[in-house]
Amino acid sequence: MSLVLDPAAQDLLFREARTANTFTDEPVTDEQIQAIYDLVKYGPTAFNQSPLRITLVRSAEARERLVQHMAEGNQPKTATAPLVAILSADNEFHEELPQLFPHFPQAKDVFFSERPAREGAAGLNAALQAAYFIIGVRAAGLAAGPMTGLDFEGVRKEFLDDDHTPLMVVNIGKPGDDAWFPRSPRLAYDEVVTTV
């Protein structure tokens, strides 16, 4: 069986897509990020909770503050990418559930009245949304450089609040010179998929 998605789109989003390590200085516009969000907001989350929050780091001052919290090998990439996004999980997402899940607005209190339940759900579902965000960046013809090599608590204190948990930092832009490391191996279908 073949895929419905055009082979060129398959390559753009998956086969040829790689984590970029260098970028050109071509800017990434607010309009591009809006278009990416308007596409990926339709990704699935449990109870339509949509806990992902995106903090765009644009100013030089904010960039300097962020770079100091990145692992040493990630600092140059973050310092030079045209745009950097901090992706976080909103642990108070339940406040939006009456609007986002209107056919069962009581879900806010029935399932998510306790903070530990919210944190678990927010982390899982925001990570799912983050994956969609990366694919959306690729769909816009840009490269994404997602990274988890950072001081999470430092980033939270510097840019977020106690209700938001940072998940990753994503460098965004057009790939620069020598942007790609060699492609690493992937597991084969029969190493991953089990039928019971």
Side-chain angles (χ1 to χ4, degrees):
M1 176 182 161
S2 63
L3 298 172
V4 174
L5 189 65
D6 176 87
Q10 295 172 35
D11 288 343
L12 176 71
L13 300 178
F14 299 100
R15 285 190 287 265
E16 299 299 324
R18 311 273 286 288
T19 296
N21 294 291
T22 68
F23 297 89
T24 69
D25 58 2
E26 183 178 330
V28 177
T29 67
D30 289 336
E31 292 77 18
Q32 286 172 300
I33 297 300
Q34 177 76 53
I36 290 165
Y37 177 73
D38 285 343
L39 177 65
V40 304
K41 68 184 178 185
Y42 296 109
T45 57
F47 294 94
N48 196 36
Q49 62 190 246
S50 307
L52 181 70
R53 300 297 179 263
I54 303 166
T55 303
L56 299 177
V57 180
R58 285 205 180 273
S59 74
E61 179 270 332
R63 183 75 60 105
E64 288 177 17
R65 288 169 35 221
L66 177 59
V67 167
Q68 69 181 347
H69 296 292
M70 302 303 296
E72 185 177 344
N74 291 333
Q75 289 178 354
K77 297 183 262 190
T78 304
T80 58
L83 181 63
V84 182
I86 300 168
L87 304 187
S88 64
D90 181 358
N91 296 308
E92 297 299 309
F93 70 86
H94 68 305
E95 296 297 342
E96 307 294 336
L97 282 181
Q99 172 192 342
L100 295 174
F101 206 61
H103 53 284
F104 185 38
Q106 305 91 325
K108 170 183 183 282
D109 299 313
V110 172
F111 295 104
F112 302 111
S113 62
E114 300 295 325
R115 176 73 179 232
R118 291 197 305 273
E119 288 178 353
L124 174 65
N125 287 279
L128 177 61
Q129 287 186 282
Y132 271 83
F133 180 79
I134 293 166
I135 292 171
V137 168
R138 294 170 175 177
L142 300 168
M147 301 173 296
T148 56
L150 56 110
D151 173 4
F152 285 91
E153 184 60 15
V155 168
R156 187 193 63 73
K157 287 180 178 178
E158 191 77 39
F159 292 95
L160 305 171
D161 59 32
D162 289 339
D163 291 330
H164 293 80
T165 302
L167 302 172
M168 67 185 69
V169 168
V170 182
N171 296 325
I172 304 169
K174 293 283 188 181
D177 294 333
D178 299 317
W180 321 116
F181 295 143
R183 167 91 56 201
S184 296
R186 298 297 191 267
L187 294 173
Y189 177 85
D190 59 1
E191 295 176 290
V192 174
V193 178
T194 303
T195 302
V196 294

